[in-house]
Amino acid sequence: MCLFVGGNAFITFHGFLNDMTNAFNRVKQHGMALELLVQKEIKMLETMPKSEVDIFIIGGGINGCGIARDAAGRGLSVELAEMNDLASATSSASTKLLHGGLRYLEYFKLRLVREALVEREILLKAMPHISRPMRFVLPYHKDQRFETSTPSSRLLTKVMPWMRGRRPAWIIRFGLLLYDYLGSREILPGTSTIDLRTDVSGDALNDRFTKAFEYSDCWVDDSRLVVLNARDAEIHGAKIRTRKKVVSAKRTKHLWHIFTEDTKTGAKSETWARCLVNTAGPWAGDIIADVIDLEAGAGVRLVRGSHIVVKQLFNHDKSYFFQGEDGRIIFAIPYETNFTLIGTTDVDHVDMSVPPVCTPEEKDYLCKFASKYFKKPITADNVVWSYSGVRPLYDDCAGPASAATRDYVLKYNDDAGAPVINVFGGKITTYRKLAEHALALLPFSNSQATKTWTCRGTLPGGDFGVTEISQMISTLKADHIFLDDLWAKRLIQTYGSEAKKVLKDTKNITDLGQDFGATLMELEVLWLMEHEFAQTAEDVVWRRTKLGLLMDNEQILRLNEFMKTTNKSHSTFT
């Protein structure tokens, strides 16, 4: 039988039926496939690891880990997700100082300076193994001229126009006296004037500098500060998740629904949280716009700071504070026994998809700047290592990058339901106060959750006095006779009282296992993997330690292979 179509075309009715039957079967198959896909998705969501916490923190830098530690110590349940390693960005790329910020007095930032100065000694007592008092030498010459756009410089120009950019010694001395007064010092000595012709700190400087002021601040191992805050948070019950990227966060009336993805395996998990805290640093703006879908309300100004490391330039334990004619300052700091650290620069960094590096121009700038003070000129050929980090400053619409505020700004929002805090800016010195202020904004009313405690607590390994470090080194050497002075010093200044836990009851160097070079042994690596979230050689040699300065590529590759193999056989490490 035929079905007539038009004048010449026709199709068989049986063919038509077959086509319809096949089409129906295809629709049915697709429907079944779609149903199976939906069922698979539902099953995946049902089996996806879930948790519920009081606070979820995005970002494992110093601010995120500081808030996690403080909150967990108050009895709150906390989860922190970091898409890379702890301190893998800004928090391991600082000038490594606990300081008030002497140059911020130029901008009359008295509250910021005072808060940071008071914090110096609180932090020094909490972690005497990874921080120490340091004296800073500020060379002075009567003919030095300085940039005149800062508020204090403009005031001086009005009051004393004949100085034409020069600053009399008494002005600098007054600023240092104010610095001492604001700091409420108990441990750190005050400012003094020194004769560079007779003081050891003058030996490395140009002969034209005969006078200097010497004041106190502190040095700190920045990346270890982050790791120890994370460890202490975990000891108090927090969940610290490294290599976990937050891919979405949706707000309901009372809770945040957060999805994370393992950056190595792709495994997904979800968390419900009463509060969300965005401490993603340079990526804070991206989190606001792309992850939590919130009106920014404030901008992030990305400012790159670069540092160079050269072979040791001077043979003493003081640091230098150098002033430039462009209004910038740099430090030259004794670093890792055999080196000198010089920095930093202030350059706007537009795009975080471009990794921050110390550019040839920045390297040249730092070399020329330091060479104006040191007898021996410094060139790019002298640089053995450089690093660069991006500071996520609050955009206060300041002019040059060096003028942008280093103060922190906390933006709280609960307009559409569960609260979120977005953190901008901040200095490593004030991370503890930032954490207290952030937690004070969150709606936890029970008495335990509102009690501050970190001003009295010590970080892991820091349970000894500021002046006892030499005795700690001697005791460790006596207990483990295979250690030499530098090795014992490194272990105490890395792990403090926990150094004996790292070494266990070893009596011979062979008990420490495989030797990776530069005194890094298998037993120490296993400690870092089990207790300090280390998963790669880079984590170990550039963030948990700075032994990368002393190890060659072959040693680092061998370490990385060992860690890969160990990670596979010990799931608890990952």
Side-chain angles (χ1 to χ4, degrees):
M1 181 178 179
C2 293
L3 179 67
F4 184 79
V5 181
N8 300 316
F10 65 91
I11 60 173
T12 67
F13 183 62
H14 289 296
F16 174 74
L17 287 177
N18 285 336
D19 288 344
M20 292 297 294
T21 302
N22 290 334
F24 176 77
N25 288 334
R26 283 197 299 271
V27 170
K28 185 177 179 182
Q29 288 170 1
H30 282 300
M32 290 175 66
L34 183 61
E35 185 179 355
L36 287 172
L37 185 63
V38 171
Q39 289 176 352
K40 185 178 178 181
E41 198 70 23
I42 291 171
K43 187 175 181 181
M44 186 188 76
L45 288 170
E46 288 175 346
T47 58
M48 185 183 294
K50 303 178 184 67
S51 61
E52 186 172 327
V53 295
D54 292 320
I55 302 174
F56 190 98
I57 300 168
I58 304 174
I62 187 56
N63 290 335
C65 291
I67 293 170
R69 176 194 179 221
D70 194 344
R74 301 185 192 203
L76 297 170
S77 55
V78 178
E79 185 170 342
L80 179 147
E82 162 56 48
M83 65 179 176
N84 298 306
D85 182 32
L86 298 173
S88 56
T90 309
S91 294
S92 59
S94 75
T95 313
K96 307 180 194 313
L97 298 178
L98 299 175
H99 65 132
L102 185 59
R103 74 185 181 92
Y104 305 143
L105 292 179
E106 290 265 343
Y107 296 89
F108 303 133
K109 302 288 187 180
L110 297 185
R111 187 209 59 78
L112 172 63
V113 173
R114 173 168 169 72
E115 182 177 75
L117 287 173
V118 171
E119 282 297 292
R120 292 177 309 178
E121 295 201 1
I122 293 174
L123 299 178
L124 191 59
K125 293 173 185 175
M127 48 187 178
H129 50 322
I130 63 165
S131 65
R132 59 181 178 269
M134 185 169 276
R135 296 291 279 173
F136 288 78
V137 176
L138 194 164
Y140 173 78
H141 191 278
K142 63 182 179 65
D143 292 329
Q144 285 178 296
R145 293 178 183 272
F146 302 98
E147 186 265 347
T148 57
S149 66
T150 67
S152 63
S153 295
R154 291 198 297 268
L155 180 61
L156 283 174
T157 301
K158 280 187 176 181
V159 176
M160 297 183 292
W162 61 89
M163 294 303 294
R164 297 178 182 176
R166 293 191 296 267
R167 293 178 193 172
W170 68 265
I171 287 285
I172 296 175
R173 187 70 178 88
F174 173 77
L176 289 165
L177 283 173
L178 181 60
Y179 199 71
D180 285 344
Y181 172 75
L182 291 172
S184 304
R185 296 170 294 106
E186 294 179 8
I187 300 171
L188 301 173
T191 300
S192 61
T193 304
I194 57 174
D195 187 339
L196 293 174
R197 294 167 296 187
T198 57
D199 191 88
V200 66
S201 61
D203 294 345
L205 298 178
N206 288 332
D207 291 335
R208 73 188 186 102
F209 295 106
T210 60
K211 178 180 181 179
F213 301 103
E214 188 177 284
Y215 70 97
S216 291
D217 267 323
C218 300
W219 179 90
V220 66
D221 187 330
D222 52 3
S223 52
R224 287 207 60 76
L225 175 61
V226 177
V227 171
L228 293 182
N229 270 273
R231 273 202 67 210
D232 209 31
E234 186 177 62
I235 289 168
H236 284 91
K239 300 172 185 175
I240 306 297
R241 313 294 194 200
T242 61
R243 272 86 180 185
K244 300 291 188 295
K245 184 176 182 178
V246 176
V247 292
S248 72
K250 304 299 180 185
R251 178 153 57 179
T252 67
K253 185 175 181 181
H254 300 294
L255 295 171
W256 281 93
H257 192 195
I258 303 134
F259 288 89
T260 58
E261 181 177 277
D262 190 301
T263 57
K264 294 186 301 180
T265 67
K268 294 179 172 60
S269 59
E270 63 175 319
T271 304
W272 293 88
R274 291 172 61 191
C275 306
L276 184 68
V277 181
N278 172 15
T279 58
W283 295 274
D286 295 338
I287 294 294
I288 293 170
D290 302 331
V291 176
I292 62 179
D293 192 23
L294 189 70
E295 280 286 330
V300 182
R301 182 170 183 176
L302 302 178
V303 176
R304 186 174 69 250
S306 296
H307 299 75
I308 58 175
V309 176
V310 299
K311 290 287 187 180
Q312 188 177 41
L313 295 176
F314 44 88
N315 192 26
H316 57 78
D317 60 359
K318 298 178 183 180
S319 291
Y320 293 98
F321 178 111
F322 295 151
Q323 305 171 88
E325 295 173 1
D326 59 354
R328 293 280 305 121
I329 63 100
I330 64 169
F331 295 96
I333 302 169
Y335 190 61
E336 298 296 320
T337 306
N338 300 317
F339 302 93
T340 301
L341 172 66
I342 299 173
T344 179
T345 59
D346 277 310
V347 182
D348 284 313
H349 190 87
V350 179
D351 184 3
M352 276 309 295
S353 67
V354 179
V357 295
C358 181
T359 64
E361 293 77 16
E362 288 175 287
K363 194 176 293 185
D364 187 55
Y365 172 83
L366 291 172
C367 288
K368 287 180 178 178
F369 197 145
S371 294
K372 291 180 180 179
Y373 283 85
F374 286 118
K375 282 179 182 174
K376 186 178 178 181
I378 302 164
T379 68
D381 293 336
N382 300 127
V383 177
V384 298
W385 182 50
S386 65
Y387 65 88
S388 186
V390 176
R391 309 180 191 98
L393 305 180
Y394 180 73
D395 191 358
D396 56 356
C397 300
S402 59
T405 181
R406 266 55 175 176
D407 207 352
Y408 55 83
V409 175
L410 309 176
K411 291 293 184 179
Y412 178 86
N413 180 293
D414 62 356
D415 295 344
V420 57
I421 295 178
N422 293 300
V423 178
F424 304 93
K427 287 159 44 70
I428 199 166
T429 313
T430 53
Y431 86 90
R432 193 194 65 82
K433 290 299 291 184
L434 182 153
E436 286 188 346
H437 291 156
L439 291 176
L441 294 174
L442 294 176
F444 299 111
S445 58
N446 70 76
S447 59
Q448 176 66 20
T450 58
K451 286 183 179 177
T452 59
W453 67 279
T454 55
C455 59
R456 300 177 299 277
T458 60
L459 288 172
D463 52 345
F464 60 94
V466 173
T467 60
E468 296 174 14
I469 194 141
S470 296
Q471 181 58 46
M472 297 280 291
I473 294 169
S474 298
T475 301
L476 190 69
K477 275 188 64 183
D479 292 341
H480 303 275
I481 58 174
F482 53 83
L483 296 175
D484 61 25
D485 290 341
L486 286 177
W487 193 354
K489 181 181 179 182
R490 180 183 75 78
L491 290 172
I492 291 297
Q493 290 186 338
T494 303
Y495 306 104
S497 61
E498 290 193 319
K500 55 189 176 184
K501 294 182 182 179
V502 175
L503 295 177
K504 299 183 177 178
D505 58 354
T506 53
K507 298 299 179 186
N508 300 295
I509 195 169
T510 53
D511 297 335
L512 300 177
Q514 193 174 163
D515 182 353
F516 297 103
T519 72
L520 182 64
M521 308 296 285
E522 181 179 333
L523 204 61
E524 182 177 357
V525 174
L526 291 175
W527 168 274
L528 293 171
M529 295 177 73
E530 186 173 356
H531 298 283
E532 297 195 6
F533 314 99
Q535 295 185 29
T536 69
E538 182 182 346
D539 299 350
V540 170
V541 304
W542 292 117
R543 287 184 284 275
R544 307 307 183 274
T545 73
K546 291 296 182 290
L547 293 175
L549 288 166
L550 304 174
M551 296 171 68
D552 59 38
N553 289 336
E554 185 180 337
Q555 290 170 323
I556 295 173
L557 285 171
R558 186 158 53 87
L559 169 64
N560 207 49
E561 285 304 311
F562 168 81
M563 294 181 71
K564 277 184 182 178
T565 304
T566 306
N567 274 326
K568 288 177 182 177
S569 57
H570 293 78
S571 60
T572 54
F573 291 163
T574 57

